[in-house]
Amino acid sequence: MKDIKDHTDIPGWGMDADPENEPTYPMKNYTGDDHNRINYERSEQQPPTVEILVSTERPAITRVFGTSAPPSGLSGMIRRYAFKHSEDRYRHWIPLILADRINTIEGLIDDVTKGHIPNVAKERGWRMELEHNAKGFLGKTLLCSLTATAVAVYLLNKKK
Amino acid sequence: MLAMNYRGPYRIRAEQRPMPEILHPEDAIVRVTRTCICGSDLHLYHGMVPDTRVGMTFGHEFTGVVEEVGPMVQNLKVGDHVLVPFNIACGKCNFCKQGLYGNCHESNPMATAVGGIFGYSHTAGGFDGGQAEYVRVPYADVGPTVIPPEMDPDDAVLLTDVVPTGYQAAEMAGIKPGDTVVIFGAGPIGIMAARCAWFFGPSRVIIIDHVDYRLEFAQRYAKCEAYNFKSLGDPVVFLKKTTDWYGADVCIDCVGCEAEGNTLQTLSGRITLMQAGSAIALQWAINSVKKGGIVSVVGVYGPPFNLAPIGNILNKGITLRANQASVKRLLPKLIEHVQAGRLDPKGLITHRIPLEEVSDAYRMFSSKLDECIKTVLIPSAKA
């Protein structure tokens, strides 16, 4: 029976191949290992001590991974949903962006419940702005305040 | 230990956090001696990168002293002062074996498109980064490199990302002697790409940005021509004109997803997030390069998509090359360039700020205050 990978009976098979033509060089030192796919020596597996969400485009978890900020709360639920879909899908990325925004609010709630009132001005580095760009910063702040006030007034009037 | 803590877009703080631990036999714990804020960190800071979770520590450019090693680490010992490449690479997968350390297949379970990167969201593996007093370094035998004793630590910290990324941007561009090279973005990477481009023998290196102090710095540091696109009218037409109406031989995008310069791209990409940031720098690169030219991309673009003129890539026969820098592959050559005095990475550093003031440091870099080019954060942990 003919080997499925044997194409030598096809006229001209491989005759124009040029191993020197490697557009990815020098970034990539082509060795042919790509054709071994995912068969390579691996390190030991890092034990999963926290919940790790894994891309559906992988057969399994990687040998090492970060354990920072495991999924939790509502944002975690949304992230778990996102990871049911491949990296190719908008339903993977859009929920992740939404989860990030919800996670910010969760972070605020978490701070307050732990008795920590966040110093937003310090966290946002406003001191730097005032020191080096006072005029521009105050102008921008005034503009934002006026816009927010105008929107609030409009919405209140609309209710009436 | 003291570490940077992300609390949401534009909100970060330095606070006490648990010490990192050895979680894998090939891990090391490194006490950070220097760490930088990268332009890429600003994409996280601005909330542009999906799966950036509250409570994470950023930072992928750092040097430090090895404090502890896992049982299988052989190339490092406690007390070694190392520079740590931003890529987390296993050294064993087929990508690492072929020098693509930025594309390791065993360091990021959350996404296949990108390998693990220190402190760069869960899309890049969920690893806490180096803007802290201590950091866990996985695959410690592969990436971390002992800093040569005579090397200035400020030079070393820039060899973890800025210099390799700038160099690879130029390398990927396939610059030939006599070429005209156009670089979009005069941040640290763009400036370094401009400086490194000269290693390949071009006749002209042009850098495009919209911040005058950065352009002046680039002109001085990288010995290149510098233009503010806000004073050019249409930058693409200007670049065609200045290249005899032919187009640049090579264009390099060192901006990524937060480029300014186009209202539609800003509105759709940076304000409403209808696309993954503004891709105007990439558009200009594609449209400014000659037919059959090369566009090299090291600017960060996130998922899911960007509006870029793919049709022109086809019609003009452009070769597009892009990647995260493979730091480990480039280090020997770059260390040699630095030691021979051909490169002066530390010349990029304009600010040195204690880690405690990380919020101010980010704001300064993000808002381009005080003529900031590159900031080094200094943690205060003692051995």
Side-chain angles (χ1 to χ4, degrees):
Chain A
M1 193 179 158
K2 181 174 170 282
D3 179 357
I4 200 160
K5 288 182 183 167
D6 180 10
H7 305 297
T8 48
D9 59 335
I10 297 173
W13 179 84
M15 68 182 291
D16 290 341
D18 179 6
E20 295 298 302
N21 180 12
E22 175 48 66
T24 57
Y25 183 84
M27 294 158 54
K28 180 176 177 178
N29 177 26
Y30 182 74
T31 59
D33 275 315
D34 284 331
H35 300 157
N36 295 327
R37 299 302 179 208
I38 58 166
N39 299 310
Y40 47 79
E41 183 199 351
R42 283 176 170 76
S43 298
E44 275 185 38
Q45 178 64 59
Q46 176 185 335
T49 48
V50 295
E51 182 186 3
I52 299 295
L53 301 172
V54 182
S55 166
T56 58
E57 295 182 35
R58 295 190 56 86
I61 200 165
T62 50
R63 292 304 163 117
V64 306
F65 45 84
T67 53
S68 160
S72 64
L74 177 60
S75 66
M77 287 164 65
I78 297 167
R79 291 189 209 284
R80 287 180 201 108
Y81 166 81
F83 273 85
K84 287 182 176 147
H85 307 286
S86 85
E87 295 161 63
D88 179 58
R89 308 300 294 269
Y90 294 116
R91 66 189 71 166
H92 177 77
W93 298 111
I94 305 296
L96 284 177
I97 294 168
L98 175 67
D100 288 348
R101 298 299 173 263
I102 290 167
N103 197 196
T104 302
I105 299 161
E106 288 171 336
L108 275 170
I109 295 166
D110 189 48
D111 274 343
V112 173
T113 53
K114 285 178 179 165
H116 174 85
I117 305 297
N119 182 344
V120 175
K122 191 171 190 296
E123 287 178 353
R124 288 179 171 269
W126 285 351
R127 188 179 68 90
M128 255 319 149
E129 287 279 3
L130 287 168
E131 206 173 298
H132 297 286
N133 181 35
K135 202 174 159 187
F137 178 62
L138 293 170
K140 205 187 282 183
T141 308
L142 186 68
L143 185 68
C144 287
S145 307
L146 288 171
T147 308
T149 309
V151 169
V153 168
Y154 170 77
L155 290 173
L156 285 167
N157 286 340
K158 208 178 168 189
K159 273 186 178 175
K160 287 172 188 174
Chain B
M1 66 157 185
L2 191 72
M4 174 268 193
N5 183 346
Y6 173 73
R7 307 308 300 168
Y10 293 90
R11 285 183 52 228
I12 55 170
R13 62 185 182 230
E15 64 179 21
Q16 289 298 319
R17 311 198 66 188
M19 283 282 288
E21 295 171 0
I22 299 276
L23 299 174
H24 183 269
E26 292 170 54
D27 283 357
I29 303 298
V30 167
R31 175 173 53 83
V32 178
T33 51
R34 274 168 180 72
T35 179
C36 297
I37 302 173
C38 176
S40 309
D41 289 329
L42 296 183
H43 304 318
L44 299 172
Y45 178 66
H46 297 156
M48 298 289 291
V49 180
D51 215 358
T52 304
R53 301 182 193 172
V54 166
M56 190 172 194
T57 297
F58 299 165
H60 55 267
E61 302 180 7
F62 59 94
T63 56
V65 175
V66 178
E67 290 281 308
E68 190 183 350
V69 291
M72 288 180 73
V73 175
Q74 294 175 327
N75 299 338
L76 292 185
K77 59 186 189 301
V78 171
D80 282 345
H81 195 188
V82 291
L83 65 93
V84 182
F86 75 90
N87 338 96
I88 298 169
C90 72
K92 294 175 180 171
C93 72
N94 293 334
F95 302 105
C96 286
K97 277 198 288 196
Q98 295 179 104
L100 297 174
Y101 295 98
N103 308 108
C104 176
H105 207 55
E106 288 295 340
S107 56
N108 179 10
M110 290 100 180
T112 55
V114 62
I117 298 173
F118 288 98
Y120 208 76
S121 84
H122 281 67
T123 295
F127 297 90
D128 274 324
Q131 286 164 12
E133 290 181 322
Y134 295 87
V135 60
R136 170 197 169 212
V137 176
Y139 297 134
D141 266 345
V142 182
T145 301
V146 175
I147 300 169
E150 69 284 2
M151 181 175 276
D152 188 314
D154 285 348
D155 282 332
V157 75
L158 295 182
L159 283 167
T160 62
D161 179 4
V162 177
V163 183
T165 301
Y167 186 92
Q168 188 168 305
E171 179 190 68
M172 287 192 297
I175 300 165
K176 293 176 184 59
D179 273 358
T180 294
V181 178
V182 174
I183 292 158
F184 293 93
I189 300 291
I191 294 169
M192 190 52 72
R195 179 63 193 82
C196 290
W198 292 115
F199 286 122
F200 300 89
S203 62
R204 291 176 78 188
V205 177
I206 298 167
I207 200 160
I208 305 283
D209 199 277
H210 67 107
V211 182
D212 283 330
Y213 82 80
R214 298 200 328 172
L215 289 162
E216 283 160 22
F217 190 99
Q219 217 168 6
R220 207 171 48 243
Y221 181 89
K223 315 278 185 283
C224 60
E225 300 168 51
Y227 299 99
N228 187 324
F229 66 73
K230 286 189 170 167
S231 63
L232 295 178
D234 186 329
V236 174
V237 173
F238 169 81
L239 288 167
K240 287 279 168 64
K241 192 175 172 183
T242 195
T243 55
D244 302 321
W245 299 103
Y246 196 73
D249 298 289
V250 157
C251 283
I252 303 176
D253 171 5
C254 294
V255 183
C257 65
E258 293 198 71
E260 291 197 25
N262 180 280
T263 308
L264 181 65
Q265 288 273 6
T266 299
L267 199 64
S268 59
R270 297 176 64 200
I271 296 170
T272 60
L273 293 183
M274 297 298 288
Q275 58 164 325
S278 156
I280 192 63
L282 182 59
Q283 180 178 313
W284 286 344
I286 290 165
N287 291 337
S288 305
V289 80
K290 71 184 180 188
K291 290 173 214 173
I294 298 172
V295 171
S296 165
V297 184
V298 291
V300 173
Y301 290 91
F305 72 91
N306 274 102
L307 297 167
I310 300 292
N312 286 354
I313 295 176
L314 167 75
N315 289 331
K316 294 172 75 172
I318 292 167
T319 302
L320 186 69
R321 293 183 80 186
N323 206 346
Q324 299 281 0
S326 284
V327 179
K328 185 181 166 64
R329 175 179 66 84
L330 290 165
L331 274 179
K333 181 184 287 187
L334 297 175
I335 287 172
E336 190 197 329
H337 279 323
V338 173
Q339 288 181 317
R342 292 185 287 264
L343 261 184
D344 169 34
K346 66 179 179 293
L348 282 178
I349 297 170
T350 53
H351 291 78
R352 308 168 72 80
I353 295 175
L355 179 63
E356 289 84 345
E357 294 168 28
V358 66
S359 321
D360 289 343
Y362 264 86
R363 191 68 182 206
M364 178 192 279
F365 194 26
S366 169
S367 297
K368 301 176 181 68
L369 304 171
D370 200 32
E371 304 206 343
C372 178
I373 296 288
K374 190 71 182 172
T375 301
V376 176
L377 298 169
I378 313 288
S380 53
K382 298 287 180 285

